[in-house]
Amino acid sequence: MRYAAQRLAQAIPVFFATTFLIYAMVFALPGDPILALAGDKPVPEQVLAVMRARYHLDEPLLVQYGRYMLGVFQGDLGETFTGQPVSELLQDRWAVTAQLALTAWVFELAVGVGLGVLAGLRRGGAADTAVLAGTTFVIAVPVFVVGYTAQIVLGLNLGLFPTAGTDEGWPGSYLLPGMVLGSFGLAYVARLTRTSLVENLRADYVRTATAKGLARRRVIGLHALRNSLIPVVTYLGVDFGNLMAGAVVTEGIFNLPGIGQQVFQSIQLQEGPVVVGVVTLLVMIFILANLAVDLLYGVLDPRIRRARA
């Protein structure tokens, strides 16, 4: 509990620092969002003053941020400049992006770790070479190229997956975009697992366990693989937030109405409250993911827990 409390205490200042930085950057962008609402039509200065006062745009930045954070702690992410609550705007879209990110994350975890273990146990062999070459290729190809190619070949030509929209629900409509979104992370997970496993198989404790007569499956699964997963857990924990934030391109290719699409539209319309609201939620996900990773460190290797407690 002490170890967990220390990790949580470290996360609190990170949350306030990152949300303030994001808030300041978004509302420091050039242009007046109130004028953007009117388009080319002239707006009386009195109307502009009333609208700026309504959304507190005439107050100092720190006061605006304080008001916003008070609302966040009450479950209120603010409202758009057209009067619609941000939480209501994101309610349906958030579920789409969360399902897409979760599908991609599970794909990374299952396939990436499996390929990494296969390559690590057969270091220098054909399987190892194939995994290294394949992951290098995936990392080198942009995600939009992978997305459009998978959509045409696997969706249109072979008919294995739906090509767009969410009509079939989860998981049917999310399998193909999830594999596309998770392909880049999968390559890194496979490489991390393979490298870490190769190093641990050479360690003294593995040789000792083997010398004691333990079965090879037990030596690899209980000893070598458990320690090898520490860097993999770090990457997977952080990458879930990356998947949530980086779904803009994938959602565009597969026409998924998620938060990535909404953020892109909000930036074009200068809807700062929407952008800040989305990023605030993503910051929470990053912090919670990192907290979970820290706690998993202590589970995977008790020495870390004792050293930090």
Side-chain angles (χ1 to χ4, degrees):
M1 293 299 296
R2 181 183 176 186
Y3 175 75
Q6 288 178 345
R7 304 280 78 77
L8 182 61
Q10 292 174 358
I12 293 174
V14 173
F15 172 74
F16 283 106
T18 51
T19 51
F20 175 74
L21 180 62
I22 293 163
Y23 191 94
M25 292 175 64
V26 169
F27 284 96
L29 293 174
D32 190 333
I34 304 300
L35 283 176
L37 288 175
D40 297 331
K41 297 179 180 180
V43 181
E45 191 62 36
Q46 295 85 349
V47 175
L48 293 176
V50 170
M51 293 295 291
R52 292 190 183 110
R54 175 183 174 182
Y55 293 102
H56 309 290
L57 297 177
D58 56 345
E59 297 178 350
L61 181 63
L62 283 175
V63 176
Q64 294 182 47
Y65 174 73
R67 288 181 180 275
Y68 177 74
M69 292 309 299
L70 286 176
V72 169
F73 292 138
Q74 297 172 8
D76 181 15
L77 295 175
E79 60 180 29
T80 68
F81 293 123
T82 57
Q84 183 179 8
V86 174
S87 56
E88 180 182 305
L89 183 66
L90 300 178
Q91 185 173 2
D92 295 333
R93 292 178 176 268
W94 186 261
V96 172
T97 300
Q99 291 177 86
L100 174 62
L102 181 61
T103 304
W105 190 83
V106 172
F107 177 65
E108 287 184 13
L109 173 63
V111 181
V113 172
L115 290 176
V117 171
L118 177 65
L121 295 178
R122 291 168 172 76
R123 182 171 62 93
D128 185 23
T129 303
V131 170
L132 292 177
T135 53
T136 301
F137 176 79
V138 170
I139 294 172
V141 178
V143 65
F144 65 88
V145 176
V146 176
Y148 281 120
T149 303
Q151 190 179 47
I152 293 172
V153 176
L154 300 179
L156 293 176
N157 294 345
L158 299 179
L160 299 178
F161 303 96
T163 57
T166 58
D167 294 339
E168 295 192 13
W170 189 87
S173 297
Y174 295 88
L175 285 176
L176 185 58
M179 289 189 291
V180 171
L181 181 61
S183 60
F184 186 82
L186 178 147
Y188 276 102
V189 169
R191 284 173 166 268
L192 278 173
T193 305
R194 182 256 183 201
T195 301
S196 185
L197 182 60
V198 168
E199 291 178 355
N200 281 289
L201 287 175
R202 299 172 178 171
D204 292 338
Y205 70 88
V206 172
R207 285 196 291 267
T208 302
T210 303
K212 288 181 177 180
L214 293 179
R216 180 167 175 77
R217 178 179 299 179
R218 184 175 177 82
V219 171
I220 295 173
L222 184 61
H223 297 281
L225 184 58
R226 182 176 178 178
N227 287 324
S228 300
L229 288 178
I230 291 178
V232 179
V233 166
T234 304
Y235 180 82
L236 286 171
V238 175
D239 196 49
F240 185 75
N242 289 332
L243 294 173
M244 294 284 293
V248 179
V249 176
T250 307
E251 289 179 358
I253 294 173
F254 293 94
N255 194 28
L256 300 177
I259 59 170
Q261 188 183 80
Q262 181 62 57
V263 168
F264 180 74
Q265 295 172 356
S266 299
I267 292 174
Q268 290 181 315
L269 299 174
Q270 297 185 14
E271 283 283 4
V274 178
V275 179
V276 173
V278 170
V279 178
T280 298
L281 291 175
L282 293 176
V283 168
M284 293 180 182
I285 291 174
F286 270 106
I287 291 176
L288 291 175
N290 278 282
L291 180 61
V293 166
D294 276 343
L295 297 179
L296 280 175
Y297 280 168
V299 174
L300 293 173
D301 191 344
R303 295 173 301 176
I304 298 176
R305 182 175 67 247
R306 298 191 190 103
R308 294 185 180 182

